[in-house]
Amino acid sequence: MKALLGTKRGMTQIWREDGSRLPVTVIDLEPNTVTALKTEDRDGYDAIQLGFGAIRAKCVAKPQLGQFAKAGVEPRRHLREVRGMEGEYAVGDQVPVTAFEVGSKVDVVGTSKGKGFAGTIKRHGFSRGPVTHGSQNVRRPGSIGMCKYPGRVIKGKRMAGHMGNERVTVKNLEVVAVDEAAHQLLVRGPVPGHDGALLLVRTSWTGKKKS
Amino acid sequence: MSTPVTQIEEKYRKTDLPDFQVGDQVAVAVLIREMGSGGRGKMEEKTRTQNFIGDVIAMQGKGIRRAFTVRRVVQGEGVERVFPLHSPLVQSVTVQRKGDVRRAKLYDLRGKSGKAARIKERQHGRDKAGGGASTKKKTPSASADAPEANTES
């Protein structure tokens, strides 16, 4: 398993030889720094901590600065722990975009665009009512339950509410291109979030046999 | 503006395209793939190029998504095709005649036939053609896209 933190840059299309278009998302994957290693003995689990993005030292809290200094690495803006790539890297190592191969599949984890307070049609895909013949029930949710029994609304009933701005994982995206010089990854299809959003790109797990 | 996205688009954009505008008559060489029988029922893929000749009646999109619409009349029946400018299937575009028009979209040609459907040929450069209104209208869209930039004047 490989994982890297990066930034969404936006979408475009590229042409295939046969004249069809390929929708791609450009992801900036500057080399990630290994800022810490978690071990079974000391922390109770094995993991690797990746750091991404430059940040001025004066913007970092002193306790964190001490941790960066102890590890001997530059302060990083975003830190994430990742399991499954321990043993391959030591503290201070750089993980480049070439960790991913062209043609392989990756999962992309990000935060979806916030949609605000959304109704049931947008949020849960309810169908709308008739718009004519005196109907007042255009975008209303309809009945939300039964009668005296059970006398309450069932938990988990899908209703209007806040939508988006939550963690979303898109699985099995094909890696279209890896640009080592520009630290860029091109994956097929859309990924969550707005341009400039923080993303975690990792090798896909699905389809792999448990060994 | 040079962003990571436009830099990637740059790699897939054609640079050898002629400067043509709405109203021009063009010949578009299109690559056609067909499954022809290679004798005894064997199917094999054949490629050939076909010229589609007609008037450019519209251009839309920008960057790598730029596309143009070509209209021609075949046996009294109007035929229109939309070509993505940077598609690998569009092998070349040749300008056969420059048109003198005052609109960005020539959709009114659809309802016209015969003499009414002719497009005036441009005699001079765009500035001298007296189409002041059209020059103003087209400059923003042309400057937004380098290959189609109005270098004529």
Side-chain angles (χ1 to χ4, degrees):
Chain A
M1 221 279 290
K2 304 272 187 190
L4 275 177
L5 294 167
T7 321
K8 176 174 173 177
R9 276 291 165 240
M11 288 195 74
T12 182
Q13 60 174 44
I14 58 180
W15 288 100
R16 288 206 195 95
E17 268 308 298
D18 64 352
S20 58
R21 292 178 231 231
L22 189 64
V24 292
T25 307
V26 184
I27 302 174
D28 262 10
L29 293 176
E30 297 284 332
N32 285 193
T33 315
V34 179
T35 48
L37 293 175
K38 301 277 175 175
T39 56
E40 178 85 48
D41 293 342
R42 201 185 59 197
D43 309 292
Y45 62 98
D46 287 318
I48 184 172
Q49 191 186 55
L50 293 173
F52 168 76
I55 185 169
R56 283 173 298 156
K58 77 173 213 184
C59 301
V60 184
K62 280 220 177 116
Q64 275 70 47
L65 269 185
Q67 293 194 340
F68 287 122
K70 194 177 172 189
V73 296
E74 293 276 301
R76 300 279 88 184
R77 185 175 290 272
H78 304 288
L79 299 175
R80 288 286 185 284
E81 278 182 22
V82 176
R83 304 182 71 175
M85 57 193 292
E86 313 85 50
E88 300 168 52
Y89 299 95
V91 171
D93 282 2
Q94 301 276 311
V95 188
V97 65
T98 44
F100 300 110
E101 289 167 34
V102 173
S104 64
K105 303 275 178 156
V106 292
D107 296 346
V108 177
V109 186
T111 306
S112 60
K113 282 181 185 170
K115 306 284 194 291
F117 191 98
T120 50
I121 295 178
K122 188 184 180 86
R123 193 174 182 219
H124 301 296
F126 284 16
S127 41
R128 64 154 171 77
V131 289
T132 51
H133 298 293
S135 166
Q136 305 256 309
N137 175 32
V138 180
R139 295 183 74 95
R140 287 178 182 179
S143 167
I144 58 166
M146 292 63 100
C147 200
K148 181 80 188 272
Y149 179 80
R152 60 188 170 88
V153 176
I154 305 293
K155 275 187 181 176
K157 174 69 197 153
R158 293 178 297 166
M159 292 199 204
H162 192 272
M163 183 185 174
N165 196 22
E166 59 183 1
R167 181 185 158 110
V168 173
T169 308
V170 182
K171 291 180 176 177
N172 287 326
L173 296 175
E174 186 187 333
V175 176
V176 176
V178 176
D179 189 337
E180 194 180 355
H183 307 301
Q184 274 173 354
L185 189 74
L186 260 61
V187 297
R188 181 180 180 176
V191 305
H194 49 81
D195 293 353
L198 179 73
L199 299 172
L200 178 74
V201 184
R202 66 173 187 228
T203 334
S204 272
W205 287 344
T206 12
K208 259 187 201 167
K209 280 183 184 170
K210 281 181 186 171
S211 53
Chain B
M1 199 172 65
S2 181
T3 64
V5 172
T6 52
Q7 279 164 21
I8 283 168
E9 286 180 356
E10 213 58 48
K11 291 183 200 164
Y12 291 91
R13 273 171 65 160
K14 294 178 191 169
T15 49
D16 54 346
L17 290 164
D19 174 34
F20 66 97
Q21 278 122 14
V22 170
D24 295 351
Q25 190 186 59
V26 293
V28 186
V30 204
L31 192 70
I32 294 179
R33 280 201 178 81
E34 49 190 26
M35 298 298 284
S37 56
R40 290 180 191 159
K42 259 199 299 183
M43 297 297 277
E44 37 181 65
E45 202 182 64
K46 285 182 183 172
T47 56
R48 64 190 175 86
T49 44
Q50 190 181 55
N51 262 347
F52 189 86
I53 302 168
D55 299 321
V56 179
I57 62 163
M59 300 185 86
Q60 60 261 322
K62 58 181 179 178
I64 199 163
R65 285 169 297 278
R66 189 106 170 127
F68 59 101
T69 308
V70 180
R71 177 182 171 87
R72 67 177 297 193
V73 177
V74 185
Q75 293 171 356
E77 188 65 40
V79 178
E80 283 178 20
R81 282 189 72 177
V82 182
F83 298 102
L85 193 60
H86 297 283
S87 164
L89 297 188
V90 173
Q91 297 202 306
S92 72
V93 181
T94 323
V95 181
Q96 299 196 326
R97 186 172 171 273
K98 298 293 263 183
D100 188 359
V101 293
R102 293 178 170 217
R103 310 252 177 283
K105 303 279 193 282
L106 305 181
Y107 295 142
D108 59 319
L109 286 183
R110 287 172 179 166
K112 293 176 179 172
S113 61
K115 279 191 173 183
R118 286 174 305 173
I119 295 172
K120 221 187 330 174
E121 182 158 8
R122 197 194 306 162
Q123 303 297 337
H124 307 285
R126 185 151 280 260
D127 286 341
K128 290 177 189 171
S134 70
T135 315
K136 265 180 203 163
K137 266 186 186 173
K138 270 173 192 160
T139 314
S141 69
S143 60
D145 201 18
E148 289 80 48
N150 194 352
T151 50
E152 173 119 347
S153 51

